Amino acid sequence: MKEIRGVVKKETLEIGEILARDMDGCEVKVNGAVHTIRDMGEVAFIVLRKREGLLQCVWEDGVSEFHIKDIREASTVEFTGFVRKEERAPQGFEIRVKSARILSEPAEPMPLQISKRKLNTSLEAKLNYRPVSLRNTYERAKFRLQEGLTRGFRDFLYGQGFTEIHTPKIGAKSAEGGANVFTLEYFHKPAILQQSPQFYKQMMVGVYDRVFETAPVFRAEKHNTKRHLNEYTSLDFEMGYIDSFEDIMGMETGYLQYTMDLLAREYAADLEILGIRKLPRTDVIPQVRFDEAKQMVAEKYDRQFRNPYDLEPEEEHLIGELFREDYGADFVFVTHYPSKKRPFYAMDDPEDKTYTLSFDLLYSGLEITTGGQRIHNYHELLAKMAERGMETEGMESYLDTFKYGMPPHGGLGIGLERMTMQLTGEENVREVTLFPRDLSRLTP
Amino acid sequence: MKEIRGVVKKETLEIGEILARDMDGCEVKVNGAVHTIRDMGEVAFIVLRKREGLLQCVWEDGVSEFHIKDIREASTVEFTGFVRKEERAPQGFEIRVKSARILSEPAEPMPLQISKRKLNTSLEAKLNYRPVSLRNTYERAKFRLQEGLTRGFRDFLYGQGFTEIHTPKIGAKSAEGGANVFTLEYFHKPAILQQSPQFYKQMMVGVYDRVFETAPVFRAEKHNTKRHLNEYTSLDFEMGYIDSFEDIMGMETGYLQYTMDLLAREYAADLEILGIRKLPRTDVIPQVRFDEAKQMVAEKYDRQFRNPYDLEPEEEHLIGELFREDYGADFVFVTHYPSKKRPFYAMDDPEDKTYTLSFDLLYSGLEITTGGQRIHNYHELLAKMAERGMETEGMESYLDTFKYGMPPHGGLGIGLERMTMQLTGEENVREVTLFPRDLSRLTP
């Protein structure tokens, strides 16, 4: 009987494996995609794109056992050759190629110059040619950092006693309801796509005390801005037994501290490709009340904003600028948003019911998180719903959660793409979304 | 300016914190949900449900500074008391309670007896009262193992050089197309929910060589069986530069080995609650060709199955049984499925084009994985599509991936809930889905 006994050891070596040993002069096999070829006649530099980075390989006329014309850009190849230290090569060594095996060849030449440091093309073209544009090393480095942000979230929360959950994206009624919901037919019944795992994560606090989920959410908002997506990845957590909503902000700060360390340690190559020399400051994050922040901005920049119940994008931007200038802060917690603009489940501040025990986290002037304490008392929740004229129909399970006892709790949701956007300094959230969905884009 | 400096240290201690130190006789604060109260007059045992398990607390008349009638089941409380070693208590210690602070109270008594070891109720009732039934410690332990299966997948793959991706769930055309797709209206355009991240993960192999995703998939199948869900969590990976499709099976075996170790190490308490004494064998996984497996079953059990192109559920079950009996195997790779029953992108076996270089993994006789090598040559892919009478319209980006060069590659998808079902020995996949979606269930 044939058997499988575990990971199959490859003959080919990865960049890290060569770097980890002292292999100068050794014969090795490497593979990769031909990123560029610089043919100088007697000698040619063939740069392979590998997952860990670019690898310089050298073809020499009369030494390499194949013709340089046999190797084409965008082919994938396996080279046999010798490792040689070379300070000018991207990895500090190069491969002097002896022989080549072609693994695959492209059918057509590349539509974009992906071997440049940064793609010299429009966002539209990048998105239209997504499978190709992402092969650019600058482009792909952004999504490596995105991995780090998600990975850090989970690893940190596992360490803090959180349990990971998977909640359904198709449902009968949504957390925040209303017009901004995608609808579908589910076996002849009307259904919706969840805008957030809010209700489910609250239900699960009654089970595990602390839960998180990293999953897509869907918003049918007709915004066409640089900050909005109609489908995005939400990093959500919810925690019970809190003493105050500061516990939630504390947990998020802990996440940011953990994750910036993780990026510095494990994603240094990607940070370097992106030219990110300084990660945002997370040791201390100032918190300011919503109304105070509004006033500070009005005073410092002599600007008045019309909406007393919310922050406009420009206002968030100025809060970010103010706190960077005056406090050296990259992040700011804005707290105590008006009750009027927060969902029914938000807990009002007992000291002033027109405000809530809630917060947004701004990162360089952009809201990347909304969170807060939730109502945990059944009767209080019913009263708040009645006050807002809401029906309880379709909410039975959610309400059962409270009917049968719930600890004081709260949580938050982080927009992964927005966070990546601020980290990488991009101007449009589509730049940091593999395959964005917006008002006009449904493919690829 | 007020500031947040990181995770807020709690006054209350968790079970693990008390166990880690020698705290016998120390005064501590603990919190939790009142799981049961056994009132014996002079003394009462109040069992708190905490995320790490059950904690026995002892109330004594005249010693505890409150009346036992003030504590109700399903309330959440904070107790101050003394740690005392007690071998008969679930954690090896108990808390002699001095004083209590009620954090919250339920509005009504529990509709289910959640404090029993296993819920003595129907699956329907469990699902209808999901926020409550999951508070049963047996129920919640199943989903802890589910966390372990997902966590192991990611951690193992990070270590193998894979990059995590997030691909859109709303799309214009699906990987496998056809009738089993949920449709929705996306800003006046017809759209679908993805049945699998297949196309996207292949596109991303061209970018990172190795990628994975753990995310929901949606199938509008009208099956009403114990094995089918209309929304489930798929653990997907795709890897480039493979020498053979055995590389993919090797990677999956490595995942299983890593994860069973992880479960044994980090989820021992949950395994114990579930009475799982032996994890499945992963050191060696037999592989058998599809046609051979069919024949072996026919011979051993004297059973003939009608469908020559696929395995029926009963047939899979018997293959599982055969391999358990004759080879002591919990898992079996069944390879070389007929081309006719596999999607167009599956690579045919060059030695016999009626079969594919593909496999299913059976776990105790149930298919939990489908995988295989994919076609990477652009012209070959076009030819296969033409042969099947498929249109290329709407597939431009997918096809671009191959047009501009792709390494030999393959991958797989694992059904998380099915895997959890086999691990926990449940008979219905809904038992291991937090909030299942099936033909008739859209709530909670």
Side-chain angles (χ1 to χ4, degrees), chain A residues 88-101:
Chain A
R88 289 162 297 177
Q91 307 297 342
F93 71 89
E94 62 187 16
I95 306 290
R96 314 290 293 210
V97 185
K98 202 172 76 175
S99 62
R101 186 162 75 93

Side-chain angles (χ1 to χ4, degrees), chain B residues 233-294:
Chain B
T233 302
S234 186
L235 310 181
D236 276 275
F237 76 65
E238 198 78 14
M239 57 192 281
Y241 300 98
I242 58 173
D243 294 306
S244 138
F245 78 121
E246 290 197 1
D247 287 359
I248 307 159
M249 293 189 276
M251 195 58 72
E252 180 165 28
T253 303
Y255 154 60
L256 293 171
Q257 292 165 348
Y258 178 93
T259 301
M260 294 309 148
D261 280 354
L262 178 72
L263 292 182
R265 208 171 56 238
E266 305 252 339
Y267 295 83
D270 303 295
L271 291 169
E272 200 187 314
I273 289 169
L274 297 168
I276 299 174
R277 275 174 201 91
K278 203 171 154 290
L279 288 167
R281 191 178 164 191
T282 56
D283 56 336
V284 174
I285 299 183
Q287 58 165 306
V288 58
R289 286 181 62 101
F290 170 87
D291 46 10
E292 284 170 16
K294 252 186 182 317

Side-chain angles (χ1 to χ4, degrees), chain A residues 335-352:
Chain A
T335 66
H336 299 88
Y337 278 69
S339 187
K340 201 166 170 165
K341 274 290 177 182
R342 290 284 174 163
F344 71 94
Y345 52 76
M347 186 176 273
D348 292 333
D349 186 352
E351 292 179 18
D352 181 350

Side-chain angles (χ1 to χ4, degrees), chain A residues 2 4 10 104 107 140 147 154 164 169-170 207-208 231 243 247 285 287 403 406 437, chain B residues 2 4 10 104 107 140 147 154 163-164 169-170 207-208 231 243 247 285 287 403 406 437:
Chain A
K2 285 183 85 174
I4 303 283
K10 311 304 290 178
S104 72
R140 74 176 189 175
E147 169 186 279
R154 298 193 194 106
E164 179 174 14
K169 304 310 156 202
I170 300 180
V207 177
Y208 291 120
E231 175 179 349
D243 294 304
D247 287 359
I285 300 183
Q287 58 165 307
K403 192 190 280 178
M406 270 288 275
R437 293 291 173 262
Chain B
K2 285 185 84 174
I4 303 282
K10 311 305 288 178
S104 71
R140 75 176 188 174
E147 169 186 280
R154 298 192 194 107
T163 294
E164 179 174 14
K169 304 310 155 201
I170 301 180
V207 176
Y208 290 120
E231 175 177 350
D243 294 306
D247 287 359
I285 299 183
Q287 58 165 306
K403 192 190 280 178
M406 269 289 275
R437 292 292 173 260

Side-chain angles (χ1 to χ4, degrees), chain B residues 190-206:
Chain B
I192 56 96
L193 292 181
Q194 296 293 358
Q195 292 182 293
S196 124
Q198 184 61 36
F199 284 15
Y200 292 104
K201 60 181 185 162
Q202 286 187 266
M203 291 182 201
M204 294 308 294
V205 162

Side-chain angles (χ1 to χ4, degrees), chain B residues 405-422:
Chain B
M406 269 289 275
H409 67 284
L412 56 77
I414 302 173
L416 176 62
E417 292 81 357
R418 282 194 178 187
M419 193 174 172
T420 317
M421 175 176 160
Q422 297 308 84

Side-chain angles (χ1 to χ4, degrees), chain B residues 311 315-317 319-320 330-334 337 360-369:
Chain B
L311 299 178
E315 209 169 359
E316 285 183 354
H317 177 73
I319 294 171
D330 296 299
F331 292 100
V332 192
F333 284 111
V334 179
Y337 277 70
D360 274 11
L361 178 66
L362 308 189
Y363 178 6
S364 303
L366 179 73
E367 178 241 304
I368 61 160
T369 295

